[in-house]
Each structure stands twice: as C-alpha cells, then as structure tokens.
Amino acid sequence: MDEKIKELAKRIFNLEKDNFVHYELLKEFHYELFKIKMNLTILNWLVTTYILYQIINFIWGK
C-alpha cells in the first residue's frame, strides 16, 4: 500500500511540475503577444498621424 501511495505522490508531483512549466510558457507567450499588439497599435498611430499630416499640408499648401 505504501508503494502505491508513493507512486501516486510521485505522479502528482510530476503533473504539477508539468503544469507549472506549461503555465510559465503560456505566460511568456501572452507577454510576447501583448508586445506584438502594442507594436501594431503604435505603428497604426504613426501611420494615421502621417496621413493626417499629409492631408493638412495638402490643404494648407494650396
């Protein structure tokens, strides 16, 4: 009976360890995804600002 309990404890420990590793990888993946989204947002604002700048220069340039 003690052997079965030790085996179960060992399996539970391995599952918890795997779960922690998956959680860390998932957290890192979410952070990388967040950085990509922020870079796209910044790029979008830069393009929008440049287009508005060109429109204003076109209108006032005449």
Side-chain angles (χ1 to χ4, degrees):
M1 192 67 172
D2 275 347
E3 282 299 318
K4 286 185 179 181
I5 292 174
K6 286 180 183 178
E7 181 63 30
L8 283 174
K10 189 179 198 181
R11 288 173 61 187
I12 289 172
F13 175 75
N14 286 336
L15 286 172
E16 287 175 346
K17 187 172 63 172
D18 289 345
N19 188 28
F20 179 74
V21 169
H22 290 310
Y23 177 72
E24 289 297 317
L25 288 174
L26 190 63
K27 200 163 66 172
E28 186 176 325
F29 176 73
H30 278 291
Y31 178 67
E32 292 297 324
L33 194 62
F34 173 75
K35 286 192 331 190
I36 291 171
K37 284 181 182 177
M38 286 299 106
N39 285 337
L40 284 175
T41 303
I42 292 170
L43 186 63
N44 192 15
W45 276 108
L46 286 174
V47 168
T48 304
T49 305
Y50 180 74
I51 290 172
L52 287 174
Y53 173 77
Q54 291 297 327
I55 291 172
I56 290 171
N57 275 342
F58 178 76
I59 292 172
W60 273 338
K62 286 189 168 186

